[in-house]
Amino acid sequence: MMLLSNSLPQLWLIYALLSLVVLVTGHLGIRFLPRLPRWIVTGVVAGIIWMPTSYALPTLEQAESHSGIAPAIVVAAVAMLQGKGGAMVGALLLLVVGMVLGALLGFGVWHLGRRPAATKTTDVKQPEASNHERQEPVIG
């Protein structure tokens, strides 16, 4: 029942689902790229979208502040709009870390998806066709 009574878990669930939609459609949208750059770009975007950072916002009563965890891209955007350079620098550094981790993850996915190169065997003897059978062309 916590999911219905508290809006933060719902917000994170919606953010996760929408970011997955963005990643999948983005990955499919750049199908013209070879696999390695496609996976690296998808990983970089995933790192930008999913890198979390902490934040602190003053409330109406200046004695308190609201703090929590949010995506670094959101914290950087809010800090830029509010003109807070210190918060923006911290969020941007985490964005760079997220981009690097995402690129490494994309490279890892590409590397795992590669198929081993087929070894060429020259010792394989092709069956000889009899005189009355038509010999089919062999590629490779």
Side-chain angles (χ1 to χ4, degrees), residues 17-69:
L17 292 175
L18 287 176
S19 66
L20 282 175
V21 169
V22 166
L23 285 176
V24 169
T25 56
H27 183 78
L28 294 175
I30 58 174
R31 297 277 301 180
F32 61 90
L33 291 175
R35 285 187 185 190
L36 177 61
R38 187 177 353 147
W39 279 112
I40 289 179
V41 167
T42 304
V44 166
V45 171
I48 290 172
I49 292 175
W50 288 340
M51 183 54 119
T53 189
S54 61
Y55 67 92
L57 293 173
T59 58
L60 293 177
E61 302 116 17
Q62 295 295 329
E64 299 179 23
S65 67
H66 177 72
S67 61
I69 296 177

